[in-house]
Amino acid sequence: MIPYTAPMTARRIPVIDFADAFSPERSRREALAWEIHKISRDVGFFYIVNHGVPQSLVEGQFDWARRFFALPAASKAAIDMRGSPSGYGYERMGAQALDEGSPADLKEGFQFGFDIAHDHAYVQRGLLRYGHHRWPQDLPGFEAHSRRYYEAVRALSHRLLSVIALSLEMPEDFFEPVLETPIATQRMLHYPPQPDGARNNQIGAGAHTDWGLVTILAQDAIGGLEVCNAEGQWVSAPPIKDSFVVNIGDLLQRWSNDLYHSNPHRVLNAGTVPRYSLPFFQDGDQAAVVACLPTCCSAERPPRYAPCTIGEYLDMKVRQTFGAVAVD
């Protein structure tokens, strides 16, 4: 059983060279896993460099994001996510309130996910984040490039979770069955500059934790992401060239019995130009059961959470954050 210690405090987000995740030498992968283990018990956020995703692919996706959000309002409204049983498509400005009790977030988005057969049972049942994609008709090339980007980052998420499995003293392929038919959502977000007339505590994205296993975020050069450390201080996560920001999600915190931390973060675009970001959320198969890992509990530290399925937890979080905003 992994011994428990109280979380440390971090005043900056660490940078990890991820190259050893691809090493054929297990000792190198284990050494990397130990780095991630220490960070995940602290702030739960880190940058990765040498991650294997071509920078040209990332920059290309940002270009497509800018073109998408520049579309006429009518083009975006035609693919509103409210028309998709799975919640894919365009997220209108102010559709979500991530910080419970606060005003709506000052952002708009677009999201899509795993490419699953139309006749799959999950799609036929209209389950959250399965099928029913909505793509703009007047932006040729957007879907094709977005799919290439998605597959590259999804592959990276598999590699990342294999290292995280090692970090939790589990078999390296522990998460693979959970990732075969996943809720794995790519969002593209547009944050306008913070308006002078914003309501109290109304910012780009209110303080929140992410809900799934891991998030892999590409951010542009504008900045604005802040992470809450164990002391309750907001720590800036400025853009670093050719990197992704990775953070632990709620479900991985539950799986690890609070050993790893899903820490609150927020976005405030205090600049004078729009900010764009590309968060990828790897959450796993909706039917997978999240129950305390045997390496993370003992008689002295029994499981803190009742088992739940991934789908149950995510459905609850979507209802909380999107249901908090009045529908026009």
Side-chain angles (χ1 to χ4, degrees):
M1 198 274 290
I2 301 171
Y4 177 80
T5 57
M8 301 173 286
T9 26
R11 290 177 174 80
R12 63 181 180 84
I13 309 302
V15 180
I16 290 180
D17 186 334
F18 199 65
D20 280 346
F22 305 95
S23 172
E25 299 178 30
R26 182 181 173 92
S27 62
R28 297 176 74 93
R29 301 196 303 275
E30 287 178 335
L32 174 62
W34 179 242
E35 283 189 66
I36 289 176
H37 175 89
K38 291 183 289 185
I39 293 166
S40 298
R41 294 175 70 144
D42 178 10
V43 72
F45 270 78
F46 50 93
Y47 299 89
I48 56 173
V49 295
N50 296 320
H51 45 66
V53 178
Q55 189 60 23
S56 60
L57 192 63
V58 179
E59 291 171 356
Q61 193 61 31
F62 274 116
D63 288 341
W64 280 110
R66 295 183 189 98
R67 293 173 64 182
F68 172 79
F69 290 115
L71 288 174
S75 296
K76 293 183 288 188
I79 55 168
D80 192 296
M81 59 188 288
R82 291 173 292 181
S84 166
S86 60
Y88 287 139
Y90 173 64
E91 173 192 331
R92 71 200 188 284
M93 187 70 70
Q96 188 176 37
L98 284 165
D99 188 351
E100 188 174 359
S102 294
D105 296 335
L106 297 173
K107 71 178 190 306
E108 61 177 336
F110 176 82
Q111 53 195 5
F112 63 98
F114 187 63
D115 193 8
I116 188 171
H118 296 301
D119 59 354
H120 193 284
Y122 288 177
V123 180
Q124 293 299 307
R125 288 163 57 192
L127 296 183
L128 180 73
R129 302 292 186 256
Y130 286 102
H132 304 285
H133 286 97
R134 311 196 80 191
W135 296 95
Q137 298 301 304
D138 45 357
L139 202 59
F142 174 57
E143 179 181 357
H145 187 279
S146 297
R147 281 287 173 205
R148 288 194 296 273
Y149 178 80
Y150 177 91
E151 289 305 328
V153 182
R154 187 167 73 93
L156 175 60
S157 75
H158 282 238
R159 182 73 61 169
L160 174 63
L161 282 164
S162 73
V163 177
I164 288 175
L166 281 178
S167 80
L168 291 166
E169 299 183 350
M170 297 298 292
E172 205 164 357
D173 61 354
F174 172 77
F175 289 108
E176 279 304 308
V178 180
L179 306 179
E180 289 180 1
T181 312
I183 297 174
T185 306
Q186 180 65 59
R187 295 181 84 184
M188 304 188 314
L189 298 174
H190 165 225
Y191 299 90
Q194 183 77 6
D196 293 335
R199 296 162 61 189
N200 183 43
N201 202 32
Q202 185 175 32
I203 59 176
H208 66 285
T209 59
D210 287 347
W211 310 332
L213 299 176
V214 291
T215 302
I216 301 175
L217 169 73
Q219 53 178 340
D220 67 8
I222 303 305
L225 175 63
E226 295 179 332
V227 179
C228 188
N229 70 8
E231 289 183 337
Q233 301 168 323
W234 288 105
V235 177
S236 176
I240 294 179
K241 184 174 173 56
D242 299 347
S243 75
F244 287 111
V245 180
V246 171
N247 64 278
I248 302 300
D250 296 351
L251 289 171
L252 192 56
Q253 176 169 317
R254 292 172 72 100
W255 233 319
S256 69
N257 204 28
D258 287 348
L259 184 71
Y260 286 0
H261 290 275
S262 175
N263 275 9
H265 49 287
R266 64 188 185 186
V267 175
L268 170 63
N269 182 8
T272 59
V273 296
R275 176 186 189 266
Y276 300 89
S277 70
L278 306 172
F280 173 87
F281 303 96
Q282 176 57 270
D283 301 335
D285 191 313
Q286 65 89 30
V289 175
V290 178
C292 181
L293 296 175
T295 57
C296 297
C297 62
S298 65
E300 296 75 28
R301 188 177 174 79
R304 296 183 169 190
Y305 303 99
C308 69
T309 68
I310 288 174
E312 288 168 347
Y313 186 80
L314 296 181
D315 184 66
M316 179 265 294
K317 297 300 290 186
V318 167
R319 292 177 187 277
Q320 280 182 354
T321 63
F322 284 100
V325 178
V327 177
D328 296 335

